[in-house]
Amino acid sequence: MKYLFMTLCVGAILMACGGDDEKPTPNTVTITCQPETLAAPIEGGTYTIDVTTTGKEWGAFTESEWIEVAANNTTSQKGTVTVKVKANPMVESRSGTVTIKSGAARKTVTVNQAAADKPAYYCPDGYSLVWHDEFDTGSELNANDWTHEVQNSGWVNNELQAYVNHLSPGGTAVTELKNGKLRINCFKENGKVYSGRVYAHVNQGWQYGYFEASIKLPKGKGTWPAFWMMPVNNDWSTNPWPMCGEIDIMEEVGVVPNEVSSSLHTQDYNHTKNTQKTHKMTIPGAEGEFHTYAMEWTADAITTYVDGKVQLAMTKQQMGSSHNQWPFHYAFYPIFNLAWGGDWGGMNGVDESALPVTMEIDYIRVFQKK
């Protein structure tokens, strides 16, 4: 009987183990990539990653703005990812990732890029590049970075132009990329004037940093080009203009050719009271030639520059620390626009024979402290 009891127990244990083994296992997806690491030289290049997955579909993405990816044969278990790495303009090496996804599975390929021997462009001491657009890819602005304003004429400042999203009703571009430049076009069509106003990273912006753009201004009585900044996600009902703050890095009106200005607008300091903080500078060739306009913005000061020369320099101590005096303590986003007429651009009338006109931007670069 003792022997029979032990035999029954062992049999029960074996039956229990066998039952566990026979339970179905979850249908897991595996991904393999070759290579698993990419090493790019300073000048960048194009690379291919071979992808194999047990999933039915797959895709690829990157969060590095200097890397572009395109997935091929995504409905097959074997495919490729084309990886384009842009040139590294800075004297610091950088690392990014390409992620392959299939179902819940993820596989990451690291992309390492060497540093340039010398920077391709000016970077202030203690800063590093966080975003830029050189306008050298494609024919239209990247919708992930840029947002067009859409408004009828008279929306602000009694301006005469209507702002549209990329194309006028007749199909003419108010913004276009051509020869490595962003062109903002202002023209008359069927009796109406159309132009462009675009925002960079309108929902995120940046709080503090060094902002720089190279711009060629148009000629003509009535033109009003600008490079400026406004606050992100502002509640206009509780924090209206000018309480919210406005930073004008560069403005110019064609009725006063080549005189560029920078201004700060706040509740206590604004042009409706004639108390705004403004500085003007005449730059021969501002109309028709590229010049560099920049601003350094910290918690305690804002300084604007034209071709490296100080234009406007104001500190929080000079203006006052209250919100009505210094509202520059949250994120702002950059704006490019070309207005026609209005309170300032049209103060002495407009000359429609000057139309069409174009404002050109060679690049915009944003740096923040390391």
Side-chain angles (χ1 to χ4, degrees), residues 157 224 241-242 246 248 251 263-266 268-278 343:
N157 304 318
W224 185 357
W241 188 94
E246 175 182 325
D248 298 327
E251 288 185 283
S263 303
L264 298 180
H265 297 280
T266 73
D268 286 359
Y269 306 104
N270 65 79
H271 72 269
T272 65
K273 300 177 180 179
N274 200 30
T275 57
Q276 78 274 16
K277 301 300 182 181
T278 298
D343 296 337

Side-chain angles (χ1 to χ4, degrees), residues 56-370:
K56 294 182 179 180
E57 295 182 335
W58 61 278
F61 67 92
T62 180
E63 295 181 353
S64 302
E65 71 94 19
W66 49 277
I67 301 173
E68 297 177 357
V69 299
N72 311 295
N73 299 326
T74 58
T75 57
S76 173
Q77 292 187 328
K78 289 188 176 182
T80 60
V81 177
T82 301
V83 180
K84 293 184 179 180
V85 180
K86 297 179 182 180
N88 186 359
M90 304 309 294
V91 292
E92 298 174 344
S93 60
R94 57 188 181 182
S95 181
T97 59
V98 174
T99 301
I100 316 301
K101 59 180 181 178
S102 182
R106 299 288 187 273
K107 183 72 174 181
T108 299
V109 175
T110 301
V111 182
N112 297 314
Q113 188 173 30
D117 295 329
K118 59 181 181 179
Y121 41 71
Y122 170 71
C123 178
D125 290 340
Y127 285 80
S128 60
L129 185 72
V130 294
W131 178 77
H132 66 125
D133 199 335
E134 307 297 319
F135 307 118
D136 54 4
T137 302
S139 59
E140 299 179 14
L141 286 171
N142 186 338
N144 293 324
D145 295 325
W146 296 94
T147 303
H148 284 79
E149 182 64 82
V150 178
Q151 295 289 346
N152 290 322
S153 60
W155 172 51
V156 291
N157 304 318
N158 297 307
E159 295 166 14
L160 302 178
Q161 82 293 328
Y163 288 128
V164 292
N165 186 2
H166 178 51
L167 297 175
S168 69
T172 302
V174 295
T175 60
E176 60 180 340
L177 303 189
K178 188 175 181 180
N179 299 325
K181 311 290 191 296
L182 165 60
R183 295 169 57 90
I184 301 180
N185 302 312
C186 180
F187 51 88
K188 194 168 186 179
E189 177 184 283
N190 295 327
K192 295 184 178 181
V193 177
Y194 296 94
S195 190
R197 171 166 163 160
V198 291
Y199 307 144
H201 288 245
V202 65
N203 294 319
Q204 299 85 31
W206 294 271
Q207 183 175 354
Y208 311 136
Y210 179 83
F211 303 78
E212 182 179 283
S214 177
I215 305 172
K216 181 196 291 186
L217 303 179
K219 299 178 181 180
K221 182 181 177 182
T223 58
W224 185 357
F227 169 34
W228 52 301
M229 300 182 71
M230 289 293 286
V232 171
N233 297 324
N234 186 56
D235 186 342
W236 301 104
S237 64
T238 60
N239 194 36
W241 188 94
M243 183 186 297
C244 63
E246 175 182 325
I247 304 171
D248 298 327
I249 301 172
M250 184 284 302
E251 288 185 283
E252 189 251 16
V253 290
V255 69
V256 188
N258 299 316
E259 183 181 85
V260 296
S261 66
S262 292
S263 303
L264 298 180
H265 297 280
T266 73
Q267 184 68 19
D268 286 359
Y269 306 104
N270 65 79
H271 72 269
T272 65
K273 300 177 180 179
N274 200 30
T275 57
Q276 78 274 16
K277 301 300 182 181
T278 298
H279 188 270
K280 299 177 181 180
M281 183 187 299
T282 298
I283 304 297
E287 294 184 350
E289 298 176 2
F290 282 98
H291 290 267
T292 302
Y293 304 94
M295 174 192 64
E296 184 176 20
W297 169 29
T298 69
D300 301 309
I302 292 176
T303 305
T304 66
Y305 302 86
V306 180
D307 294 332
K309 299 178 181 179
V310 173
Q311 165 82 288
L312 175 68
M314 298 301 303
T315 67
K316 185 176 181 179
Q317 184 176 17
Q318 289 173 311
M319 294 181 64
S321 59
S322 74
H323 181 76
N324 285 349
Q325 298 164 323
W326 186 267
F328 310 113
H329 49 77
Y330 35 60
F332 279 59
Y333 58 89
I335 305 170
F336 291 122
N337 75 285
L338 175 53
W340 180 250
D343 296 337
W344 189 19
M347 62 182 176
N348 292 330
V350 300
D351 178 11
E352 290 197 351
S353 69
L355 296 174
V357 292
T358 298
M359 172 186 183
E360 291 188 69
I361 301 97
D362 188 21
Y363 64 80
I364 178 174
R365 297 170 187 150
V366 180
F367 303 81
Q368 289 188 310
K369 289 189 175 180
K370 299 176 183 178

